[in-house]
Amino acid sequence: MIKKKYFYFFVTIAFFTLYNIFSNNLLNVYLINDLNFNQLQNILSWQSLIKFGKLTELNHSSPFITILFSKFIYFTLGYKVYNLIYFILFPSLIILFIALIYNRYLSLKFSFLLAFISGIFFPDFPLRDFIINIFSGQNLIIEHSSLEILTNPTPSFTILYFLIVFYFAQNIKSISLNKIVFFTILFASLFFVHPLDATYGCGFWTI
């Protein structure tokens, strides 16, 4: 079972690697050339703050954890590693954790299939139309559009953060005060990652 998980995970990495190569995401100029604020905001959410902004520009509703983590990756490891992490590693891990959650109730192969279906969609291309185009042989890629899961740091990082917390919370074998406090802090931290994830996460943890 573990070997199969590794195999499917490496297949996922290979898929996102090839997708990003053929779609030129790994060569995108917005992490290399200077862009003005409006251009940057139209291309990537929060990217302007990650690249140019100061922490003093954030307000109480800003996703501090998301911005701080992205800033750390960007300025510590550079834009090349940043691209690899957000365009290949994080999307692959998202598919993996979705599959692991499904795997509690379904077979591993079917879990990864559903995970791919859950993660492979475009913001301007509804899943319904995507599936119809698969069977009709029409174009599956929208020009100048990218998979929603590759948009960084939101939702690439934010979904992964939520899935990791959710997965391990679901796998609690025994309840203790320390575990309750620990996971309460983790779910509460989602408010500083993404407010929508926090709504879902805290709702699950409360129930």
Side-chain angles (χ1 to χ4, degrees):
M1 180 67 72
I2 295 179
K3 290 184 178 179
K4 286 186 178 181
K5 290 179 181 178
Y6 283 131
F7 171 75
Y8 288 129
F9 180 59
F10 286 129
V11 169
T12 306
I13 291 177
F15 168 81
F16 283 112
T17 301
L18 292 174
Y19 175 84
N20 283 292
I21 289 175
F22 286 111
S23 62
N24 292 325
N25 276 338
L26 294 180
L27 301 177
N28 260 333
V29 296
Y30 56 72
L31 289 178
I32 303 174
N33 298 332
D34 288 339
L35 303 175
N36 64 44
F37 180 84
N38 291 327
Q39 289 175 315
L40 215 45
Q41 284 294 82
N42 289 334
I43 296 176
L44 289 178
S45 59
W46 298 103
Q47 192 62 44
S48 59
L49 277 174
I50 293 172
K51 189 174 181 182
F52 305 115
K54 300 178 181 179
L55 296 182
T56 54
E57 297 176 23
L58 302 177
N59 55 48
H60 67 279
S61 61
S62 299
F64 287 95
I65 294 177
T66 301
I67 299 300
L68 285 173
F69 180 84
S70 300
K71 272 182 171 290
F72 175 80
I73 297 296
Y74 186 88
F75 289 107
T76 303
L77 303 178
Y79 72 87
K80 292 182 179 179
V81 177
Y82 182 96
N83 273 343
L84 293 176
I85 291 176
Y86 278 94
F87 286 141
I88 297 176
L89 180 60
F90 281 0
S92 300
L93 288 173
I94 288 173
I95 299 299
L96 173 64
F97 275 97
I98 292 176
L100 292 177
I101 293 172
Y102 285 148
N103 192 221
R104 289 177 55 116
Y105 313 100
L106 304 170
S107 67
L108 184 62
K109 184 183 297 185
F110 194 52
S111 297
F112 267 94
L113 176 61
L114 287 180
F116 261 103
I117 294 175
S118 301
I120 307 304
F121 62 92
F122 296 87
D124 301 320
F125 196 9
L127 178 60
R128 179 190 65 257
D129 295 341
F130 181 79
I131 295 176
I132 291 175
N133 284 12
I134 289 178
F135 292 102
S136 61
Q138 299 182 42
N139 189 16
L140 299 180
I141 298 178
I142 299 179
E143 189 177 358
H144 305 305
S145 182
S146 182
L147 293 173
E148 179 75 12
I149 201 174
L150 300 182
T151 307
N152 63 86
T154 301
S156 181
F157 169 75
T158 58
I159 291 179
L160 178 60
Y161 189 100
F162 169 82
L163 288 173
I164 291 174
V165 176
F166 182 79
Y167 172 74
F168 285 105
Q170 272 199 323
N171 283 279
I172 297 177
K173 302 300 182 182
S174 59
I175 298 295
S176 66
L177 179 60
N178 289 337
K179 290 181 180 179
I180 292 175
V181 172
F182 176 71
F183 279 99
T184 299
I185 293 174
L186 286 180
F187 278 110
S189 69
L190 286 170
F191 284 102
F192 301 104
V193 175
H194 194 284
L196 186 60
D197 294 332
T199 302
Y200 294 140
C202 292
F204 161 79
W205 187 239
T206 302
I207 295 175

